[in-house]
Amino acid sequence: METYKSGNRIILHIDVNSAFLSWEATYRLQHGASLDLREVPSVVGGNEESRHGIVLAKSIPAKKYGIQTGEVLWQARNKCPNLIIVPPDYSLYMKCSTALTDLLYEYSPLLERYSIDECFLDITESLREKSPLDIAREISNKVKSVLGFTVNIGISVNKLLAKMASDFEKPDKVHTLFPDEVPKKLWPLPVRDLFMVGRRTAPKLYRLNIFSIGQLAHADPEFLTAHFKSFGNLLWRYANGIDNSPVNPFSAVAKGIGNSTTTPFNVDTEREALLFLLSLVETASSRLRSARLLAQVVSVSIRKTDLSFFSHQRKLLTPTDNTEVLFKTARALFREFWDGTPLRHLGVAFSSLCNDRFCQTSIFEDERIYKKKSLDSSIDAIRLNHGNTSVVRGSFINSGIPPLTGGIIDDYPGMRSQL
DNA sequence: TCTGGGGTCCTAGGACCC
DNA sequence: TCTGGGGTCCTAGGACCC
């Protein structure tokens, strides 16, 4: 039986089951642990003392207690008193993610890394005598035997349907969702399950008497456009399984680089706020330089203790990767819009990026910029060779504020909210 | 004693230009 | 002396993803 037609592309969506938790469990088993975290109620969670205490990933037994990703840890513990909580190890997760993509490249070069634990793979040209289901099962078995963790794989003719398919029953399952299966497999699902229907859009759809994906698919596109603008049309197309976006192996080119942090304590003085901003700029600008990028837009964001969020941004005359220039811009922005109320979160982001070899530099750049550049690159090199704490700005000493804030993860694609 | 940190994309309004 | 229309750029905010 052929549920796919020749002429269609065949796309797989590979999704690691409970990624952080599976990777943590696999690593621990390989290093002598006797307990498999996946088999007991457990979560990967942040540090509660520094106000990072939320659930980052949960085991399936933990899910049965109603524990949800993003939930605060004390709530999770209330739901399950003997919950095991382990801290995250992002460098391990990056290694596991890379090991997965290396394995997938054996099946097709048309691989798009969608997030740390999700990939799209276009296997149209790799099919030959095998069926898509055969290849998916082969990949699934190989990942399990070679890497030790399980994946869900969705198969269809486009990325949207493949992604929806991989979200069906878990873990360690392969599902198809070909266009002729859409009415039976996709349309009965709650509309909230559709990709791009989030916590704000779902209630708006309910008010329009749309509760299932099928009801959305059968709604009048013009009616949806009237309520949601162009987003309404996107929703209608997704509900009908329509998506023409290609698997893009080059999607990893960064459009923005940012660092943000929830501060361990409320920040209510400018001095402390600026130190946090500086420590964020230090890591974000060093990521910029190691990716050989310059930024032309600097933005600063804050979150107040009531969780309200504000941001300000400014475009520079000349793109730069210089820590001092970027920090001074961030400082000016912050001073312009902070009203002195206590903050629980600060962020810095750089965008309008361009390659440092092809960027237009200003004719007003003077010689001092070369000294600044060489200072930045010297500090980067020392930190690389001797650790991040080997060179630290004096203003941080005895401040209680870390001199560098935010992870330095290179060559890692960001997430896109659309396919 | 509230909810992390990394992203992308879209929209609306204002400034400014011709 | 009273005002059109089209276009681009910039900025803030809000939605979504994992």
Side-chain angles (χ1 to χ4, degrees), chain A residues 205-255:
Chain A
L205 289 168
Y206 302 156
R207 281 198 290 276
L208 300 173
N209 269 323
I210 295 172
F211 301 96
S212 71
I213 298 179
Q215 286 173 320
L216 181 59
H218 288 103
D220 179 1
E222 285 182 27
F223 170 75
L224 294 171
T225 308
H227 280 92
F228 299 96
K229 307 278 174 69
S230 65
F231 185 57
N233 195 259
L234 180 90
L235 292 176
W236 183 84
R237 282 187 283 122
Y238 281 3
N240 282 284
I242 301 167
D243 166 38
N244 299 314
S245 63
V247 172
N248 178 9
F250 306 106
S251 74
V253 179
K255 301 212 167 69

Side-chain angles (χ1 to χ4, degrees), chain A residues 330-342:
Chain A
R331 181 176 64 188
L333 282 163
F334 179 79
R335 283 177 168 155
E336 280 169 25
F337 84 118
W338 184 48
D339 60 8
T341 52

Side-chain angles (χ1 to χ4, degrees), chain A residues 289-308:
Chain A
R289 292 188 292 271
S290 80
R292 301 213 58 179
L293 294 168
L294 304 178
Q296 200 169 4
V297 172
V298 176
S299 68
V300 170
S301 60
I302 58 175
R303 197 181 289 280
K304 298 183 179 179
T305 50
D306 64 0
L307 301 180
S308 58

Side-chain angles (χ1 to χ4, degrees), chain A residues 392-414:
Chain A
V392 163
R393 285 174 199 265
S395 43
F396 285 105
I397 292 174
N398 297 325
S399 70
I401 294 166
L404 285 101
T405 298
I408 302 178
I409 298 177
D410 292 318
D411 305 321
Y412 167 62

Side-chain angles (χ1 to χ4, degrees), chain A residues 73-145:
Chain A
L73 287 177
W74 60 265
Q75 271 175 3
R77 221 183 275 108
N78 279 348
K79 292 178 181 175
C80 174
N82 55 355
L83 185 69
I84 296 175
I85 303 175
V86 299
D89 176 355
Y90 292 98
S91 64
L92 170 67
Y93 309 153
M94 275 309 296
K95 285 180 201 156
C96 293
S97 176
T98 303
L100 175 65
T101 51
D102 286 349
L103 188 152
L104 295 177
Y105 274 123
E106 293 173 25
Y107 293 87
S108 170
L110 287 180
L111 180 149
E112 179 176 334
R113 207 171 180 181
Y114 181 69
S115 76
I116 194 163
D117 66 338
E118 291 181 32
C119 287
F120 291 102
L121 198 64
D122 185 330
I123 56 165
T124 312
E125 312 300 329
S126 330
L127 283 171
R128 304 187 202 291
E129 75 282 2
K130 288 178 191 163
S131 75
L133 216 53
D134 288 339
I135 294 193
R137 292 206 177 103
E138 191 181 318
I139 290 174
S140 167
N141 290 333
K142 193 161 179 184
V143 171
K144 207 182 337 180
S145 62

Side-chain angles (χ1 to χ4, degrees), chain A residues 128-195:
Chain A
R128 304 187 202 291
E129 75 282 2
K130 288 178 191 163
S131 75
L133 216 53
D134 288 339
I135 294 193
R137 292 206 177 103
E138 191 181 318
I139 290 174
S140 167
N141 290 333
K142 193 161 179 184
V143 171
K144 207 182 337 180
S145 62
V146 175
L147 302 177
F149 52 85
T150 62
V151 294
N152 257 41
I153 301 183
I155 309 172
S156 192
V157 299
N158 63 39
K159 294 202 294 187
L160 183 270
L161 289 176
K163 182 160 169 57
M164 294 305 298
S166 71
D167 216 28
F168 294 164
E169 192 192 3
K170 297 169 181 176
D172 196 17
K173 294 278 194 304
V174 174
H175 301 283
T176 62
L177 181 54
F178 290 108
D180 61 348
E181 300 176 292
V182 163
K184 196 177 154 212
K185 290 189 179 179
L186 187 67
W187 285 354
L189 298 178
V191 75
R192 180 67 176 81
D193 290 358
L194 184 65
F195 181 71

